[in-house]
């Protein structure tokens, strides 16, 4: 299946953009440039600045907020990009953004403290992320807040996760993409920061796979996801500066191999590639535990599950131990996913399936000793 075919057909068309933005009839607003130090960016952004990789976005903590608009530049996905918006840690709701000015519906996302904010007191936390595994580019030029609103520092959680995966982690086929996928759900339950480098169809091995020009052993170290290949305005990758991951992760979780298997990469070759990848990732994250998922496999209608690389993961773990790395662990997901948990036509977890996986992993993490935060570090005061 060519999952990327749809993207290749998308021409970048610049629709007629109004040149004058500050309309006279609009109430006066405060414009915040994209380089304002109190915008808390997460995920991977290029210098435009624009998002790559599903789940990338930003968080705001605003005093006296009653209106918020985003002005987006011409590197934004045409004709639109889907983002999740969460106000005061409520549910993520999809908003479609386009190049130009976008009003973010705060009042529609009801919360009692919004009325307090309107009265000029209290703070509001707004979280916005691009949830698509493709067509996920938000090119942020500036924010517009109501007059009198003021950005406050957003204090990130004391716990942060880094996830690395393929379609099974990216939330492919889910109505709200990664925002409904197990890595994101785990991050939310633990009240943690989380970056998710996950791309449908990607192999770990650096091969062309299901529309991906590169494998994760290359892509993880780049700012841009594999979608770069299908763009005309940014058809290249740049190194990712891991110092920009602030806070840097406390726990690194990897779930890879489905598409190596799908491309007939041999087990021994896969093991060698994984070991090389772990060495490179360990150079970045020297002290963090690495949690490596074994495959939950492809569940079949007859109740069996087809597993791939049966001996690879134990071998990878043993090899790391021999190298002196006692901070790498397997998460044995055997039996986690059954036919009831997946869409029959593509064997990927459903919304409920992802919730189940997140629940199992959360239990695993607690047993491992990772504790959920009691509260978000940036709290809401009414
Ligand atoms: C895109 O936006 C930039 C910055 O506003 C502008 O310089 C450039 O001409 C625009 N490009 C196109 C093709 O509209
Ligand atoms: C967003 O756009 C998609 C089409 O790409 C559409 O299916 C969906 O209904 C839109 N959602 C909202 C909330 O506007
Ligand atoms: C991007 O560049 C590659 C060559 O490096 C080319 O094969 C590909 O077609 C380009 N993509 C677009 C959308 O132009
Ligand atoms: C490869 O990746 C695609 C998208 O992630 C997935 O649907 C497909 O089942 C995978 N193929 C194999 C053979 O694992
Ligand atoms: C992998 O091997 C199987 C069985 O030999 C074959 O049917 C399939 O086409 C191969 N897939 C790829 C991507 O080479
Ligand atoms: C994972 O658990 C299953 C079932 O308990 C077991 O058969 C398998 O050997 C385990 N895999 C690893 C790598 O430990």
């Amino acid at each position: 299946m060519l999952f990327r075919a749809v993207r290749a057909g998308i021409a970048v068309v610049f629709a007629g953009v109004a040149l004058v933005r500050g309309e006279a009839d609009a109430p006066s607003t405060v414009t915040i440039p994209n380089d304002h130090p109190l915008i808390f960016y997460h995920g991977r952004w290029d210098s435009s600045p624009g998002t790559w990789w599903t789940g990338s976005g930003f968080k705001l903590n605003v005093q006296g907020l009653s209106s918020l608009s985003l002005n987006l530049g011409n590197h934004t996905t045409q004709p639109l990009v889907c983002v999740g918006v969460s106000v005061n840690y409520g549910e993520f709701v999809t908003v479609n953004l386009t190049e130009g000015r976008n009003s973010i519906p705060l009042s529609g996302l009801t919360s009692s403290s919004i009325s307090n904010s309107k009265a000029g007191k209290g703070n509001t936390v707004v979280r916005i992320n691009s949830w698509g595994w493709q067509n996920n580019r938000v090119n942020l030029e500036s924010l517009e807040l109501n007059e009198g609103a003021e950005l406050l520092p957003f204090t990130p959680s004391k716990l942060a996760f880094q996830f690395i995966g393929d379609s099974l982690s990216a939330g492919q086929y889910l109505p709200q993409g990664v925002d409904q996928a197990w890595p994101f759900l785990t991050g939310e339950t633990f009240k943690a920061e989380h970056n998710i480098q996950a791309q449908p169809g990607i192999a770990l091995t650096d091969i062309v796979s299901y529309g991906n020009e590169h494998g994760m052993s290359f892509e993880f170290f780049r700012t841009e996801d594999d979608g770069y290949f299908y763009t005309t305005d940014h058809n290249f990758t740049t190194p990712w500066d891991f110092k920009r991951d602030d806070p840097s992760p406390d726990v690194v979780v990897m779930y890879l191999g489905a598409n190596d298997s799908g491309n007939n990469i041999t087990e021994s070759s896969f093991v060698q590639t994984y070991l090389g990848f772990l060495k490179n990732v360990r150079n970045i994250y020297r002290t963090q535990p690495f949690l490596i998922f074994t495959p939950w496999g492809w569940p079949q209608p007859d109740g069996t599950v087809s597993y791939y690389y049966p001996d690879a993961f134990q071998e990878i773990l043993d090899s790391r131990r021999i190298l002196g790395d006692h901070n790498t662990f397997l998460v044995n997901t055997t039996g986690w996913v059954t036919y009831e948990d997946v869409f029959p036509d593509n064997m990927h977890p459903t919304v409920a399936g992802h919730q189940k996986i997140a629940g199992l992993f959360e239990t695993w993490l607690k047993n491992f000793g990772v504790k959920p935060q009691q509260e978000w570090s940036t709290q809401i005061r009414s």
Side-chain angles (χ1 to χ4, degrees):
M1 277 185 272
L2 259 178
F3 291 91
R4 292 314 183 82
V6 57
R7 172 187 255 154
I10 293 176
V12 180
V13 176
F14 295 104
V17 180
L19 293 175
V20 183
R21 282 205 180 110
E23 289 84 3
D25 55 346
S28 48
T29 58
V30 184
T31 300
I32 311 279
N34 58 29
D35 61 356
H36 195 288
L38 295 183
I39 300 175
F40 180 84
Y41 288 99
H42 61 86
R44 295 196 183 173
W45 291 74
D46 65 25
S47 60
S48 65
T51 51
W52 296 89
W53 297 93
T54 191
S56 295
F58 60 96
K59 305 181 184 188
L60 305 172
N61 180 18
V62 195
Q63 174 109 38
L65 182 71
S66 60
S67 84
L68 168 64
S69 295
L70 309 183
N71 293 317
L72 303 188
N74 56 25
H75 298 289
T76 300
T77 299
Q78 305 281 350
L80 59 85
V81 53
C82 301
V83 299
V85 177
S86 159
V87 176
N88 291 342
Y89 305 111
E91 296 263 293
F92 281 88
V93 175
T94 296
V95 177
N96 288 339
L97 304 180
T98 59
E99 182 185 348
R101 188 173 188 274
N102 299 264
S103 172
I104 302 298
L106 299 174
S107 53
L109 316 175
T110 52
S111 168
S112 59
S113 55
I114 291 204
S115 54
N116 281 327
S117 268
K118 278 188 177 144
K121 31 177 206 166
N123 65 321
T124 303
V125 169
V126 183
R127 301 182 298 165
I128 297 180
N129 69 78
S130 184
W131 61 242
W133 61 272
Q134 61 179 2
N135 306 326
N136 53 16
R137 297 174 64 198
V138 176
N139 175 200
L140 184 65
E141 284 185 340
S142 61
L143 310 170
E144 279 180 47
L145 310 178
N146 52 289
E147 192 159 38
E150 199 184 328
L151 279 186
L152 302 173
F154 177 88
T155 307
S157 172
K158 293 188 189 69
L159 176 65
F161 289 98
Q162 172 68 55
F163 295 94
I164 309 172
D166 54 27
S167 58
L168 300 167
S169 307
Q172 192 180 17
Y173 307 117
L174 304 180
Q176 289 178 262
V178 81
D179 286 5
Q180 293 174 313
W182 66 270
F184 198 98
L185 299 178
T186 301
E188 288 295 292
T189 302
F190 276 66
K191 296 187 167 61
E193 305 306 321
H194 43 94
N195 284 339
I196 304 172
Q197 268 48 64
Q199 187 113 55
I202 201 167
L204 174 61
T205 310
D206 191 14
I207 52 171
V208 174
S209 173
Y210 300 98
N212 293 292
E213 191 61 13
H214 282 288
M216 193 58 90
S217 54
F218 173 85
E219 271 298 324
F220 181 65
F221 305 94
R222 313 306 287 180
T223 305
E224 298 80 4
D225 63 52
D226 262 321
Y228 82 88
F229 192 76
Y230 299 93
T231 73
T232 50
D233 65 320
H234 192 115
N235 186 2
F236 55 88
T237 68
T238 55
W240 176 247
D241 176 3
F242 283 89
K243 288 197 282 299
R244 290 176 62 188
D245 287 337
D246 185 19
S248 66
D250 302 291
V251 181
V252 180
V253 186
M254 306 178 196
Y255 187 22
L256 295 158
N259 294 110
D260 298 83
S261 159
N263 281 289
N264 294 345
I265 298 292
T266 63
E267 182 150 336
S268 64
S269 170
F270 176 68
V271 168
Q272 288 315 309
T273 300
Y274 217 131
L275 289 172
F277 182 62
L278 290 174
K279 180 168 176 273
N280 292 337
V281 179
R282 190 49 98 198
N283 281 337
I284 301 165
Y285 307 126
R286 297 197 172 268
T287 57
Q288 291 89 333
F290 290 173
L291 309 183
I292 299 179
F293 273 41
T294 71
W296 63 59
W298 300 107
Q300 306 300 315
D302 66 4
T304 61
V305 177
S306 117
Y307 291 98
Y308 42 88
Y309 297 143
D311 301 320
F313 293 90
Q314 189 63 47
E315 195 182 333
I316 290 163
L317 183 72
D318 293 345
S319 299
R320 289 301 301 176
R321 290 278 188 277
I322 289 167
L323 291 168
D325 179 356
H326 296 276
N327 209 10
T328 294
F329 305 89
L330 296 188
V331 180
N332 190 340
T333 70
T334 302
W336 279 21
V337 177
T338 68
Y339 192 66
E340 286 66 44
D341 303 320
V342 300
F343 295 110
D345 50 349
N346 56 45
M347 304 298 166
H348 282 63
T350 59
V351 171
H354 274 279
Q355 290 167 356
K356 177 184 173 187
I357 295 158
L360 288 163
F361 184 44
E362 286 155 17
T363 302
W364 191 99
L365 282 170
K366 287 173 196 161
N367 291 336
F368 181 71
V370 179
K371 293 199 176 54
Q373 300 295 295
Q374 296 292 320
E375 293 175 321
W376 291 102
S377 296
T378 302
Q379 291 186 30
I380 311 300
R381 292 168 288 98
S382 49

